[in-house]
Amino acid sequence: MTKATPPEPHRALTLRDVSEASGVSEMTVSRVLRNRGDVSETTRARVLEAARRLGYVPNKIAGALASQRVNLVGVVIPSLSNMVFPEVMTGISKTLEDTGLQPVVGVSNYQVDREEQVIYEMLSWRPSGLIVAGLEHSAASAAMLAQAGIPIVEIMDIDGTPVDSMVGISHRRAGRKMAEAIIAAGYRKIAFLGTHMPTNDHRARKRLEGFEEALAAAGLSLVDREFYSGGSALAKGREMTETLLKRRPDVDFLYYSNDMIGAGGLLWCLEQGLDVPGRIGLAGFNGVELLDGLPRRLATMDACRLETGVAAAEIIAGKRSSGVIGGEVIEFEPKLQPGDTIRNL
Amino acid sequence: MTKATPPEPHRALTLRDVSEASGVSEMTVSRVLRNRGDVSETTRARVLEAARRLGYVPNKIAGALASQRVNLVGVVIPSLSNMVFPEVMTGISKTLEDTGLQPVVGVSNYQVDREEQVIYEMLSWRPSGLIVAGLEHSAASAAMLAQAGIPIVEIMDIDGTPVDSMVGISHRRAGRKMAEAIIAAGYRKIAFLGTHMPTNDHRARKRLEGFEEALAAAGLSLVDREFYSGGSALAKGREMTETLLKRRPDVDFLYYSNDMIGAGGLLWCLEQGLDVPGRIGLAGFNGVELLDGLPRRLATMDACRLETGVAAAEIIAGKRSSGVIGGEVIEFEPKLQPGDTIRNL
DNA sequence: CCCGCTAATGATAGCGCTAACAGTGAAAAC
DNA sequence: GTTTTCACTGTTAGCGCTATCATTAGCGGG
């Protein structure tokens, strides 16, 4: 801890400073800096030079208040650390890039009350739109969203009723589809491994519900299940798989609630020399990039995260002029990626 | 795309609406909503009830302009998708939680000009402080930061001169330390595998420089090197390792610029039945959680990301009253985690 | 030579909130 | 009874910018 360069104490610069330095009115400076209205080339050059020389940075707070326009789009997601939301963010950022809108991220940690705070905080900055992960919110959150008077897009789940618009896949249907593929491949003693329920991960829950529905429709039911929470997902997948297979050696398929624990399980099975997918099959969910590097490719189901981000951002940016002004519903079709861990049909 | 509940067109509520609904002045409403100054219990209750009933959300734009205070802390990082920045964010968020400050993330994609834009955008919202990853910025960025008049903390690298404060580890030293451990363990034909240089990943570059310095000091030099860019890091690690070992079968140590490609390499080596760490040793960098689930634990070096986030946030929040007002320098000591892929000394 | 027009610039009035100060009434002190 | 005090509430004046309208100069046409 030593002393370095202490920043000089500065009164923050305002339009007036630039205006005085360039000999024109504040209004003209404002016009130059925003490229709005007619300004002569010479004035423009003089103003820009002065602004640059002084190191002027406009005050958007004042600008936003005066113009009643804020170029921000709030994005409320449960977590940054599980690889799935960053990809949605990529889609959002890319789409917003050429619209002058800027995404602002808030993280709710899968907690309803935290989400409520984040939404409140975001709305208090009067953004141009809000993208929220999931359809399940506290009553207060839902009320705020409905009242906000801006486009709201709920993403990554469409099994429910949106406040305004929604974009994503049906997790219930994704679970069903996976179960059908597994059954069709001839597996019968199927177990589930996932995050500890009931968490507030509604999407994982719906997936499992859909999965069990499809099993039931085929006269089957889950043979066993194993849950975890916290820790390294890869390591947990490994442990859970070992535990479960020790308990029920007859199981012939392991359905994981996400790819990370699935990858852990796959590594364990391969180490044990188990015949995958002959003796036992495995499948995860999400289609994370990581899987490409595994010794064998885990069967999974793509959640269309990039597309979801893109479509959500398009709705906010008004790029998707379908005539409808709000309340759009866009469903993507999750694609099964059979990989190498499920028998060929 | 169907029609759902269209949000009713609302004129946004203001303090005046709440004030009229509760029969007190706007000022009193403001006081209640901010818990500031003396307000009688009965008035407070009336105001809160009215605010709640109307669904009032304060306008922070106006509040910030009037009070000249913004409870935002800008965080500028190169990427969200490589697992390392989310952990820094965790440290920042947790530390800021009870200070009333809110982190706002901006992503620069390892591009200098993009970083400049993001910094400009952030500063234009007049945040209470700014946390920026790295010490290398464009001249314009550096000037803006120096002028901003708010605490600036550059993180994750201390090999250079900060604008104001800096927190992190010395990557040069981390590279050196790893090289020394490898040499001490008796490895002599050492190769490097990493991201394609020169990227704008200055930290990886400095690590390699330190690494080569230490090799040189022991009379050694890199036997070979291999670079990649883009794609699944795990898969790339696998490919690069194969390529490199086919080219130079005599190599006895592989130093990876990050854990993800290291993990890919490790998986490949194990599949090939190579004797790790006897015949060949491996090491990565970063200490990602993922590694815990691998069949063998990759040697790595912890970058103290959580601590870095915490300390940076503390500086901004003024929690670290070391007497010094700015220009703090906090260095963390990267810890070697030998794992199972480097011979015991 | 005046009119009408356009291009360029300036003056004025807020945006919705809060800091700072100015009351107000009732209880406490003299 | 009068003054002081204190707890509470209201009034005023901006914060730094932009929307809107007003003004000026320049210029070609009749």
Side-chain angles (χ1 to χ4, degrees), chain B residues 57-107:
Chain B
V57 177
N59 185 332
K60 288 224 176 172
I61 308 248
L65 183 61
S67 67
Q68 305 280 58
R69 266 185 279 100
V70 181
N71 67 337
L72 261 27
V73 176
V75 183
V76 182
I77 55 182
S79 164
L80 272 178
S81 44
N82 63 9
M83 224 60 167
V84 13
F85 299 105
E87 195 169 340
V88 182
M89 282 308 306
T90 304
I92 294 175
S93 303
K94 224 171 238 152
T95 307
L96 254 31
E97 217 158 59
D98 57 343
T99 63
L101 292 170
Q102 270 247 316
V104 177
V105 188
V107 177

Side-chain angles (χ1 to χ4, degrees), chain B residues 81-82 111 114 171 205 228-229 239 308 341:
Chain B
S81 44
N82 63 9
Q111 291 168 275
R114 184 83 192 116
H171 286 264
R205 194 202 70 220
Y228 81 106
S229 56
E239 290 170 28
T308 297
T341 62

Side-chain angles (χ1 to χ4, degrees), chain A residues 83 260 288-294, chain B residues 79 81-84 110 193-196 226-242 256-268 285-286 288 290-291 294 298:
Chain A
M83 222 61 165
M260 209 62 176
V288 299
E289 196 183 50
L290 170 87
L291 299 184
D292 292 344
L294 256 29
Chain B
S79 164
S81 44
N82 63 9
M83 224 60 167
V84 13
Y110 286 102
L193 303 90
T195 48
H196 202 73
E226 182 74 23
F227 301 100
Y228 81 106
S229 56
S232 158
L234 203 65
K236 287 293 176 183
R238 177 181 286 272
E239 290 170 28
M240 291 163 76
T241 305
E242 178 166 7
Y256 295 88
S257 77
N258 69 64
D259 280 346
M260 211 60 175
I261 55 173
L266 174 58
L267 287 175
W268 187 83
F285 179 82
N286 248 337
V288 300
L290 169 87
L291 299 185
L294 257 27
L298 182 70

Side-chain angles (χ1 to χ4, degrees), chain A residues 1-2 4-5 57-58 60-61 65 71 102 120-121 124 126 163 232 234 238 260 271 289-290 293 295 327 329, chain B residues 1-2 4-5 57-58 60-61 65 71 102 120-121 124 126 163 232 234 238 260 271 289-290 293 295 327 329:
Chain A
M1 274 170 243
T2 68
T5 34
V57 177
K60 288 224 177 176
I61 309 249
L65 183 61
N71 67 336
Q102 271 248 315
Y120 186 79
E121 175 80 13
S124 75
R126 301 289 188 266
V163 169
S232 157
L234 203 65
R238 178 182 285 273
M260 209 62 176
E271 273 168 55
E289 196 183 50
L290 170 87
V329 174
Chain B
M1 277 169 235
T2 69
T5 35
V57 177
K60 288 224 176 172
I61 308 248
L65 183 61
N71 67 337
Q102 270 247 316
Y120 185 79
E121 176 78 13
S124 76
R126 301 288 189 266
V163 168
S232 158
L234 203 65
R238 177 181 286 272
M260 211 60 175
E271 271 168 55
E289 196 184 51
L290 169 87
V329 174

